[in-house]
Amino acid sequence: MRSTTPGRAHRRVALNTSLVTVAAMALLSMPMGPASAAPARAPKGDPGQLPAKVSAREYRTLVARAEARQGETRSALKLGAKVGLKVKTVVKDQDGTTHTHYESTYEGLPVLGGDFIVHRSKAGSIERVSQALTKPLQVETAPKTLVSTRPNTPKAEGSVAPRKVVWVGEDGEPVLAWETVVGGTRKDGTPNRLHVLTDAVSGKRIIEWQGVQTGTGRSQYSGTVQLGTSSSGGSYVLRDTGRGNHDTTNLNRATSGRGTLFSDADDTWGDGTAGNSQTAAVDAAYGAGETWDFYKTVFGRSGIRGDGVGAYSRVHYGTGYVNAFWDDSCFCMTYGDGQGNSKPLTELDVAGHEMTHGVTSNTAGLVYQGESGGLNEATSDIMASAMEFWANNASDVGDYLIGEKINLRGDGAPLRYMDRPSRDGSSLDGWSPNAGNVDVHYSSGIANHFFYLLSEGSGSKVINGTAYNSPTSDGKPVTGIGREKATAIWYKALTEEMRPTTNYADARRSTLAAASKLYGQSSAEYAATANAWAGVNVGSRVSDPGPGDPGPGDPSGSWAAGTAYKTGDVVTYDGASYRCLQAHTAMPGWTPPNVPALWERI
């Protein structure tokens, strides 16, 4: 039955349930001019810094314009002849400012973690540049030990032979490395795409991360929904032409391949039970559609890459597979059917979680390991929860609980709690020096907790019928600013400030930069962002800063780890003043007296 909803390419799909959904409503900085040592007045917020609504056609134009400027950009950044740039993504603000994320190469080799974010004004001039490197990119690409350190190609199916790359880690130091991708499958049946980097000189392991990013959620709880379908040869298929031709396919228990596109004679899909193979497809397609609409309506983003091209969803992966995952290699989401093939993991916020892994991959590119991996997972939980509230589905109301209805543990408890993550027995409520060594699904608790505090504040409260009680690491209260503002800050930080190796200290800096641009450095929103991070033991608190007071931890104030400094910034440390010599993000222990290459005493 065709939908009569104006302006939306949906069809109403009847399930054998009684509820009807409510229709969804709609850094490292380098200055381009002379720096001043005098403290600047705290900037005011600018609504023009919110994301612009960019069509797929306009996005392609923005990318083409950035590609045409690559030579000019290389010259302006003084990168040298050996460094190449490739446009990864472009974000445009309402005021015309653009933020172009470049991947780089060195003598033709991919530079992993060495991305540049170039921020240009509406007129096209470069205002600042964000990067991980702390010194010019230079590395010996043909050391004598290169042959002897080359790893063997793994035998597992889907493995990729070692390739030579340059790795730039959190310390900003470039290292020549071998990247090997190990294929096969993991113990739970998830495809394995393990990226292993080894030092090309010493042969020692540097880092490893998974290329297949996993997550879990609910299923069969969305009631009667609208789907985007297409007519084909007298029947219908689950292809959403209004959302980039997103397909939903049936793997029919297989663990590879694209699957078979779902088709139906009367455009009425599923019956609300796991026994009907179409039901999981309905939930997956609905979740993908709502997530597409959320990013488009709230952030002006046309699809995962912003180019208007839809991903696709595969359901009925394997037998009894209790998970779901995003895979860059197929640009797709994949869902298992759960224990006993009775609880497909295809609920609304699962689609939001998995599709957001794709958005993260095509923006900040947070490496799925260590603290950056925790931030990657948290980003998927954060945006999925925001989307779930936005969708306003009466059968699956918005909440800050992850997986509360699939009952995977058998005790009725959710998989994750955003208000107090440690309630699951494994997740972290706050940062500690060991955070980078914890499974990314558990270290994500730090940012999940931050987002809850920033949205709702600390203490006990009831939201949509669910009770929460959120503590803070320092025992002090945090006042929330509302979920919409908190989500806007996180998205702006993700797409304009964060980089592949961003850790929690840099995530604090990134969100403070976003809050300053959107609401002003003197705003309650800025103060709440800093205080919410302090509530999870990342950085210090601030009072609501007045004009001219940049607040502790910022350039022209006291030196603080996790802060992005520009050349020329002046800070105080132990009563002495220092001027920044090179743009960098301060790491713990990089105090001005300890790193004379970065600071000079004045």
Side-chain angles (χ1 to χ4, degrees):
M1 159 166 49
R2 296 181 182 272
S3 168
T4 57
T5 307
R8 299 189 73 174
H10 286 178
R11 302 183 190 279
R12 182 164 296 280
V13 178
L15 300 184
N16 192 16
T17 54
S18 59
L19 294 175
V20 178
T21 60
V22 178
M25 293 179 62
L27 292 137
L28 230 59
S29 300
M30 183 177 75
M32 291 299 112
S36 171
R41 293 181 63 85
K44 296 181 179 180
D46 180 4
Q49 290 287 310
L50 288 166
K53 297 191 183 304
V54 177
S55 67
R57 181 176 180 179
E58 184 180 358
Y59 177 80
R60 290 191 289 270
T61 300
L62 289 170
V63 170
R65 187 177 301 158
E67 289 174 340
R69 283 175 165 167
Q70 281 180 181
E72 170 195 334
T73 302
R74 288 180 64 260
S75 297
L77 303 187
K78 298 180 173 61
L79 296 179
K82 296 181 178 181
V83 179
L85 294 177
K86 179 182 178 182
V87 177
K88 181 179 183 181
T89 188
V90 182
V91 175
K92 181 181 179 182
D93 295 336
Q94 291 179 12
D95 64 2
T97 302
T98 58
H99 312 270
T100 304
H101 203 132
Y102 290 96
E103 295 175 319
S104 59
T105 60
Y106 183 78
E107 292 188 359
L109 301 179
V111 180
L112 308 182
D115 300 31
F116 294 85
I117 307 174
V118 177
H119 311 268
R120 290 182 180 269
S121 68
K122 180 179 181 179
S125 60
I126 297 177
E127 295 182 325
R128 62 190 179 95
V129 177
S130 308
Q131 58 178 312
L133 289 159
T134 55
K135 62 182 182 181
L137 180 56
Q138 188 173 0
V139 66
E140 172 58 55
T141 59
K144 295 180 180 178
T145 57
L146 195 58
V147 175
S148 63
T149 61
R150 180 185 174 96
N152 295 323
T153 301
K155 296 181 180 179
E157 184 179 356
S159 297
V160 179
R163 66 168 181 168
K164 195 164 48 168
V165 300
V166 176
W167 166 249
V168 180
E170 288 185 24
D171 60 4
E173 291 286 332
V175 178
L176 185 69
W178 291 107
E179 180 193 25
T180 307
V181 180
V182 183
T185 57
R186 289 177 256 176
K187 289 182 179 180
D188 67 351
T190 304
N192 196 48
R193 301 287 186 274
L194 185 65
H195 295 248
V196 181
L197 265 60
T198 52
D199 192 302
V201 174
S202 68
K204 294 181 178 179
R205 175 191 168 278
I206 300 173
I207 191 173
E208 64 183 41
W209 68 86
Q210 273 292 347
V212 175
Q213 298 157 10
T214 58
T216 58
R218 304 187 299 275
S219 64
Q220 301 178 29
Y221 298 104
S222 292
T224 300
V225 297
Q226 289 185 326
L227 299 178
T229 64
S230 304
S231 59
S232 176
S235 62
Y236 297 89
V237 293
L238 274 182
R239 174 173 293 132
D240 194 340
T241 57
R243 300 183 179 95
N245 288 318
H246 172 276
D247 285 345
T248 305
T249 66
N250 185 1
L251 281 173
N252 196 27
R253 309 283 182 242
T255 56
S256 62
R258 202 181 192 284
T260 304
L261 182 63
F262 276 92
S263 62
D264 186 83
D266 60 3
D267 207 21
T268 301
W269 305 78
D271 63 4
T273 70
N276 185 313
S277 65
Q278 289 185 353
T279 299
V282 168
D283 286 335
Y286 169 68
E290 289 301 297
T291 305
W292 177 288
D293 289 353
F294 168 73
Y295 275 106
K296 179 67 173 176
T297 303
V298 178
F299 302 117
R301 188 178 191 88
S302 296
I304 288 172
R305 289 190 298 247
D307 59 0
V309 176
Y312 69 96
S313 299
R314 305 184 300 179
V315 299
H316 304 308
Y317 173 90
T319 300
Y321 178 64
V322 190
N323 217 330
F325 59 87
W326 166 266
D327 188 349
D328 275 332
S329 67
C330 66
F331 199 62
C332 70
M333 292 81 68
T334 304
Y335 304 92
D337 285 329
Q339 294 284 0
N341 296 318
S342 62
K343 288 184 175 292
L345 283 83
T346 49
E347 191 267 343
L348 181 59
D349 62 2
V350 180
H353 180 107
E354 302 309 336
M355 287 182 69
T356 296
H357 276 312
V359 173
T360 299
S361 177
N362 285 276
T363 54
L366 293 163
V367 174
Y368 205 60
Q369 181 271 347
E371 292 191 21
S372 60
L375 287 163
N376 189 319
E377 268 298 309
T379 296
S380 284
D381 281 350
I382 287 167
M383 302 309 289
S385 293
M387 181 275 291
E388 187 179 64
F389 276 102
W390 175 88
N392 196 24
N393 186 313
S395 298
D396 186 5
V397 297
D399 55 51
Y400 294 98
L401 306 176
I402 308 300
E404 72 275 12
K405 294 184 179 179
I406 54 176
N407 195 25
L408 287 187
R409 296 192 181 96
D411 58 1
L415 293 177
R416 292 192 287 276
Y417 304 78
M418 298 182 83
D419 66 322
R420 184 153 59 94
S422 62
R423 290 174 65 190
D424 67 11
S426 301
S427 293
L428 304 181
D429 286 340
W431 183 87
S432 73
N434 191 49
N437 299 319
V438 176
D439 182 281
V440 296
H441 293 89
Y442 302 141
S443 62
S444 65
I446 303 165
N448 280 345
H449 191 192
F450 158 79
F451 179 76
Y452 177 87
L453 289 171
L454 185 59
S455 298
E456 306 293 348
S458 57
S460 61
K461 49 184 59 72
V462 177
I463 304 167
N464 278 355
T466 299
Y468 302 95
N469 192 355
S470 190
T472 58
S473 295
D474 57 8
K476 299 177 182 179
V478 170
T479 300
I481 61 174
R483 188 172 48 256
E484 291 79 8
K485 289 182 178 179
T487 306
I489 288 171
W490 192 267
Y491 180 80
K492 189 172 185 68
L494 174 76
T495 57
E496 299 178 13
E497 301 289 341
M498 295 185 189
R499 301 178 304 276
T501 55
T502 284
N503 57 18
Y504 273 104
D506 190 57
R508 177 184 184 274
R509 179 205 60 77
S510 297
T511 52
L512 283 173
S516 177
K517 292 172 185 175
L518 291 172
Y519 306 109
Q521 206 163 289
S522 301
S523 66
E525 290 84 356
Y526 181 93
T529 301
N531 294 341
W533 278 121
V536 296
N537 198 32
V538 180
S540 58
R541 285 183 176 251
V542 301
S543 299
D544 190 5
D549 176 12
D554 290 309
S556 302
S558 299
W559 180 91
T563 304
Y565 292 105
K566 306 185 300 294
T567 303
D569 282 341
V570 174
V571 300
T572 57
Y573 184 81
D574 278 351
S577 296
Y578 294 85
R579 179 180 291 111
C580 180
L581 299 177
Q582 297 183 50
H584 67 284
T585 297
M587 301 294 290
W590 290 14
T591 60
N594 287 343
V595 282
L598 299 178
W599 297 97
E600 65 175 353
R601 186 166 179 169
I602 57 175

